[in-house]
Amino acid sequence: MVAGAQTGTTEGWSSRTAFVLAAVGAAVGLGNLWRFPTLAGESGGGAFVAVYVGCVILIGLPLVLSEILIGRAGRSDAVDSVRNVAKASGISEKWQIFGWFEIIAAFFILTFYSVVAGWVIYYIGVMLGDFFSALGAGEPLRGALAGETSEQITGRMGALFENVPMLVAMHTLFMLITIGIVAQGVTDGIEKAAMFLMPAFFVLLVLITIYGAFTGDFGRAVEFLFTPDFSKLTPPVINEALGQALFSMSLGSAALMTYGAYVSRDTKLGPTAGMIGFADTGVAIIAGLMIFPIVFAAGLDPAGGPTLVFQSLPIAFQNMPAGSLIGLLFFVLVFFAALTSSISLLEGPTAWAKEAFGWSRSKTAWIVGLCIYVVGIACALSLSIWSDVRLLPFWDIFADQNIFDTIDGFTGKILLPTSAFLTAIFVGWRADRKLVDAETGLQGGTLAAFRFLVAWVCPIAVGLILLFGIFPELLTAISG
Ligand code: PHE
């Protein structure tokens, strides 16, 4: 802990493995399984993937390390950790502002994240029912949703959006599970969940990918994901890739700082950050290799957009052997990934409120979770009956977006990059250099590389995303 820290956490991971699994669990989520394939599909595949991987290495990794090290050095929630490090560095405590931004970002991301995770639970229900009816019919290896037409399958999503009680019920269920786990604490809740969910997730991921490789059009998927067509590299694609890298690695949203505060002194942070980044990117790419063979085999459009996973995949599962079982497993896998991420999203604001108000962990988790839940209901309603409600009508980029898209856009385009930018300036330029260097556990060339990336590459690149996110007309001007 840095000298002068007054507040602090008494909780901690019971092992390095526990921390790595929890942090990988935070990173791997709907961002990898739902958003990454969607964006790669829409932006022409390989070109997007190439830029994305570049962003992860040059910007994501140094920022992951920066956030974890602030947490471990500050030994508290996101706000107090930044303040403690600022104090120890002899600079203004006003730097805690980005700790605030991160907590606010986590709060709002979870509001819509939980709604999407609710869709996942709904699809688990659909697939479970289908699997049992396949079993009942004595055909356990048949395709998914055998009796339905493609229109019926695609129609489910719209019908779910209109079905407000169902949508809210699924969101409720997901939030209850998330809160229930966070309320148990770091070792008894978060860590136990990660130690079970992450290994189960990886087993399912490998299984379904192998299945797709054998039954789907694997060659075409590989070609799609790894042959970059550089003519597709427009500024909006680069911008999108950078934003996605931040979101996917859980940057700018308090999760990594908060988890960092629970890491023991003898864990080397540099290599650990590398593992988190590697696992997160690996899962995103494997998710592509899992989803696109199935999509191509069914002759569907890879650029299906946000409904790729929820509409295209079920149609694809219909045409595949054992699709009914694999479809079910697929949505269970997505659910596991979403849950470990939502836990980390709730933990950031919870850790802060617990320190700030002196409440017990369990009380804090329930109160904070309930507030998020209520805003989440507004996100859910904005998919149908509240679709005309505008949160920021005076701001042109959000003027015609519903509540869901406004919160998603505001956090992703404004809050995350702002915090990431400030983190880079703070760690790269303002925080005590000896303290930072010692926390990284890096030496020689890798330390020099880290310092260069965090001080120069991150602020410039992230500053650009921010600028283009706020003034999209600049992008249009550049791309002609
Ligand atoms: N990284 C998670 C995902 O890819 C989402 C997330 C963002 C989790 C920010 C925690 C903090 O789904």
Side-chain angles (χ1 to χ4, degrees):
M1 195 197 304
V2 293
Q6 288 141 2
T7 49
T9 177
T10 49
E11 296 185 275
W13 307 111
S14 53
S15 65
R16 175 169 183 255
T17 314
F19 165 59
V20 171
L21 285 181
V24 170
V28 170
L30 296 170
N32 307 61
L33 300 166
W34 169 57
R35 250 196 180 156
F36 178 82
T38 300
L39 293 176
E42 287 175 339
S43 313
F48 177 84
V49 176
V51 184
Y52 179 80
V53 171
C55 292
V56 165
I57 297 172
L58 300 176
I59 299 153
L61 284 181
L63 287 174
V64 168
L65 178 52
S66 300
E67 287 211 19
I68 301 177
L69 80 81
I70 294 174
R72 186 172 67 179
R75 271 268 173 277
S76 192
D77 60 85
V79 174
D80 283 339
S81 287
V82 179
R83 186 171 50 214
N84 288 341
V85 174
K87 232 192 264 172
S89 305
I91 57 173
S92 164
E93 288 180 28
K94 293 212 179 87
W95 278 99
Q96 62 176 292
I97 184 84
F98 75 85
W100 282 105
F101 287 163
E102 300 218 355
I103 288 189
I104 295 169
F107 182 99
F108 282 105
I109 290 174
L110 186 50
T111 63
F112 68 84
Y113 203 84
S114 168
V115 173
V116 180
W119 307 346
V120 177
I121 300 186
Y122 169 80
Y123 275 87
I124 292 182
V126 170
M127 298 312 255
L128 198 64
D130 180 60
F131 179 62
F132 279 122
S133 69
L135 273 188
E139 301 171 312
L141 297 183
R142 76 178 184 199
L145 308 168
E148 294 185 24
T149 62
S150 310
E151 287 72 37
Q152 279 172 317
I153 298 182
T154 354
R156 271 182 193 279
M157 186 117 183
L160 173 63
F161 287 6
E162 300 294 325
N163 186 350
V164 171
M166 175 65 89
L167 204 56
V168 172
M170 297 297 111
H171 162 60
T172 309
L173 184 58
F174 188 76
M175 279 310 292
L176 284 177
I177 302 173
T178 305
I179 299 171
I181 294 172
V182 172
Q184 298 294 312
V186 176
T187 30
D188 290 339
I190 303 177
E191 174 177 320
K192 278 213 179 108
M195 297 285 259
F196 165 73
L197 294 170
M198 289 319 286
F201 168 83
F202 280 108
V203 170
L204 288 173
L205 184 71
V206 170
L207 265 179
I208 302 177
T209 309
I210 295 177
Y211 165 86
F214 279 106
T215 49
D217 195 342
F218 198 68
R220 200 143 155 229
V222 171
E223 192 190 312
F224 179 70
L225 287 171
F226 299 115
T227 324
D229 169 1
F230 286 106
S231 69
K232 296 241 163 77
L233 268 196
T234 57
V237 170
I238 299 177
N239 193 17
E240 196 81 80
L242 210 46
Q244 168 65 9
L246 295 183
F247 181 83
S248 187
M249 301 183 87
S250 300
L251 288 162
S253 30
L256 294 175
M257 269 199 235
T258 312
Y259 279 10
Y262 309 137
V263 177
S264 82
R265 292 250 40 111
D266 41 68
T267 298
K268 280 215 159 72
L269 297 186
T272 313
M275 274 170 73
I276 297 167
F278 182 75
D280 187 60
T281 309
V283 171
I285 290 175
I286 296 176
L289 291 176
M290 170 173 76
I291 290 169
F292 288 116
I294 302 176
V295 168
F296 283 130
L300 299 166
D301 181 8
T307 56
L308 182 74
V309 163
F310 296 100
Q311 292 182 330
S312 309
L313 269 190
I315 295 185
F317 286 131
Q318 185 175 47
N319 299 315
M320 308 189 73
S324 150
L325 172 63
I326 300 292
L328 171 62
L329 295 180
F330 173 78
F331 285 105
V332 170
L333 159 130
V334 181
F335 170 71
F336 284 179
L339 184 57
T340 48
S341 293
S342 66
I343 291 172
S344 75
L345 283 164
L346 180 56
E347 176 61 11
T350 300
W352 168 77
K354 182 168 155 267
E355 288 284 335
F357 302 114
W359 298 330
S360 72
R361 160 169 286 275
S362 156
K363 178 175 169 188
T364 319
W366 283 101
I367 293 178
V368 175
L370 203 72
C371 297
I372 293 174
Y373 168 70
V374 171
V375 183
I377 292 182
C379 290
L381 296 185
S382 77
L383 299 172
S384 59
I385 47 177
W386 283 9
S387 62
D388 293 333
V389 179
R390 297 287 172 264
L391 281 184
L392 304 170
F394 43 83
W395 193 336
D396 50 351
I397 36 178
F398 300 115
D400 42 50
Q401 295 199 333
N402 64 14
I403 299 177
F404 185 113
D405 292 336
T406 304
I407 296 185
D408 181 4
F410 183 76
T411 48
K413 291 196 174 126
I414 317 274
L415 276 179
L416 298 195
T418 305
S419 310
F421 178 78
L422 292 173
T423 308
I425 302 283
F426 182 72
V427 171
W429 297 96
R430 305 292 292 130
D432 182 74
R433 181 142 182 190
K434 279 206 202 82
L435 181 151
V436 168
D437 289 357
E439 284 289 345
T440 63
L442 300 174
Q443 274 162 349
T446 27
L447 180 61
F450 165 71
R451 292 224 59 104
F452 174 72
L453 292 173
V454 86
W456 293 98
V457 179
C458 295
I460 294 174
V462 176
L464 286 176
I465 321 187
L466 196 56
L467 207 64
F468 289 137
I470 300 179
F471 304 104
E473 57 279 7
L474 282 179
L475 266 187
T476 337
I478 296 177
S479 41

Coordinates of all heavy atoms in Angstrom, one line a residue, residues 4 8 31 76 87 150 152 174 200 205 220 243 255 263 266 293 324 332 350-351 360 391 423 480:
G4 N 0.5 6.9 3.3 CA -0.6 8.0 3.3 C -2.0 7.5 3.0 O -2.9 8.3 3.0
G8 N -9.0 1.7 2.9 CA -8.4 0.6 2.3 C -9.3 -0.6 2.4 O -10.1 -0.7 3.3
G31 N -19.0 -8.7 -24.8 CA -18.2 -8.0 -25.7 C -17.5 -8.9 -26.7 O -17.3 -8.6 -27.8
S76 N -7.7 0.3 -2.6 CA -9.0 0.7 -2.2 C -9.9 0.6 -3.4 O -9.6 0.0 -4.4 CB -9.0 2.0 -1.6 OG -10.2 2.3 -0.9
K87 N -1.8 11.1 -3.9 CA -1.2 11.6 -2.7 C 0.2 11.2 -2.6 O 1.1 12.0 -2.3 CB -2.0 11.1 -1.5 CG -2.5 12.2 -0.6 CD -3.0 11.7 0.7 CE -4.5 11.5 0.6 NZ -5.1 10.8 1.8
S150 N -37.9 -20.2 -40.6 CA -36.9 -19.2 -40.3 C -37.5 -17.9 -39.8 O -37.0 -17.3 -39.0 CB -36.1 -18.9 -41.6 OG -35.6 -20.1 -42.2
Q152 N -40.2 -17.6 -38.2 CA -40.6 -17.8 -36.8 C -39.4 -17.6 -35.8 O -39.5 -17.0 -34.8 CB -41.3 -19.1 -36.5 CG -42.7 -19.2 -37.0 CD -43.3 -20.6 -36.9 OE1 -42.6 -21.5 -37.3 NE2 -44.5 -20.7 -36.4
F174 N -31.4 -11.9 -13.9 CA -29.9 -11.8 -14.1 C -29.3 -10.9 -13.0 O -28.3 -11.2 -12.5 CB -29.6 -11.2 -15.5 CG -28.1 -11.3 -15.8 CD1 -27.5 -12.4 -16.1 CD2 -27.4 -10.1 -15.7 CE1 -26.1 -12.5 -16.3 CE2 -26.0 -10.1 -15.9 CZ -25.4 -11.3 -16.2
A200 N -15.6 -23.9 -16.8 CA -16.8 -24.4 -17.5 C -16.9 -23.7 -18.9 O -17.2 -24.3 -19.9 CB -18.1 -24.3 -16.7
L205 N -16.5 -23.6 -24.8 CA -15.9 -22.9 -25.9 C -15.2 -23.9 -26.9 O -15.4 -23.8 -28.1 CB -15.0 -21.8 -25.4 CG -14.4 -20.9 -26.5 CD1 -15.5 -19.9 -27.1 CD2 -13.3 -20.0 -25.9
R220 N -14.0 -21.1 -44.7 CA -14.5 -19.8 -45.0 C -14.4 -18.8 -43.9 O -14.1 -17.6 -44.0 CB -15.9 -20.0 -45.5 CG -16.3 -18.9 -46.3 CD -17.2 -19.1 -47.4 NE -17.9 -17.8 -47.6 CZ -19.1 -17.6 -47.7 NH1 -19.9 -18.7 -47.8 NH2 -19.6 -16.4 -47.9
G243 N -12.5 1.4 -29.7 CA -13.6 1.4 -28.7 C -13.9 0.0 -28.2 O -14.1 -0.2 -27.0
A255 N -13.5 -2.0 -13.0 CA -13.4 -3.4 -12.7 C -12.0 -3.8 -12.4 O -11.7 -4.4 -11.3 CB -13.9 -4.2 -13.8
V263 N -5.2 -7.8 -5.0 CA -4.1 -8.7 -5.4 C -3.0 -8.6 -4.4 O -2.6 -7.5 -3.9 CB -3.6 -8.2 -6.8 CG1 -2.4 -9.0 -7.2 CG2 -4.7 -8.3 -7.9
D266 N 3.0 -10.1 -3.8 CA 4.0 -10.8 -4.5 C 3.5 -11.3 -5.9 O 4.3 -12.0 -6.6 CB 4.5 -12.0 -3.7 CG 3.4 -12.7 -3.0 OD1 2.5 -13.3 -3.6 OD2 3.3 -12.5 -1.7
P293 N -18.2 -20.2 -38.9 CA -18.4 -21.5 -39.7 C -19.9 -21.9 -39.7 O -20.4 -22.3 -40.7 CB -17.6 -22.5 -38.9 CG -16.5 -21.7 -38.2 CD -17.2 -20.4 -37.8
S324 N -29.9 -28.9 -31.6 CA -30.8 -28.6 -30.5 C -29.9 -28.6 -29.2 O -30.1 -27.7 -28.3 CB -31.9 -29.6 -30.5 OG -32.4 -29.9 -29.2
V332 N -25.7 -21.2 -22.9 CA -25.2 -21.4 -21.5 C -23.8 -20.8 -21.4 O -23.5 -20.0 -20.5 CB -25.2 -22.9 -21.1 CG1 -24.4 -23.1 -19.8 CG2 -26.6 -23.4 -21.0
T350 N -19.9 -1.1 -6.0 CA -20.2 -1.6 -4.7 C -19.0 -1.3 -3.7 O -19.2 -0.8 -2.6 CB -20.5 -3.1 -4.7 OG1 -21.6 -3.3 -5.6 CG2 -20.7 -3.7 -3.3
A351 N -17.8 -1.6 -4.2 CA -16.6 -1.3 -3.4 C -16.5 0.1 -3.0 O -16.2 0.5 -1.8 CB -15.4 -1.8 -4.1
S360 N -22.4 -2.5 5.2 CA -21.8 -3.8 5.1 C -21.8 -4.2 3.6 O -22.5 -3.5 2.8 CB -22.7 -4.9 5.8 OG -23.9 -5.0 5.0
L391 N -32.9 10.5 -23.9 CA -32.3 11.0 -22.7 C -31.5 12.3 -23.0 O -31.4 13.1 -22.1 CB -31.3 9.9 -22.2 CG -31.8 8.7 -21.4 CD1 -30.6 7.9 -21.0 CD2 -32.6 9.2 -20.2
T423 N -6.3 7.9 -17.4 CA -5.4 6.9 -16.8 C -4.0 6.9 -17.4 O -3.0 6.9 -16.7 CB -6.0 5.5 -17.0 OG1 -7.3 5.5 -16.6 CG2 -5.2 4.4 -16.3
G480 N -14.1 11.2 -46.3 CA -14.6 11.7 -47.5 C -16.1 11.3 -47.7 O -16.4 10.5 -48.4

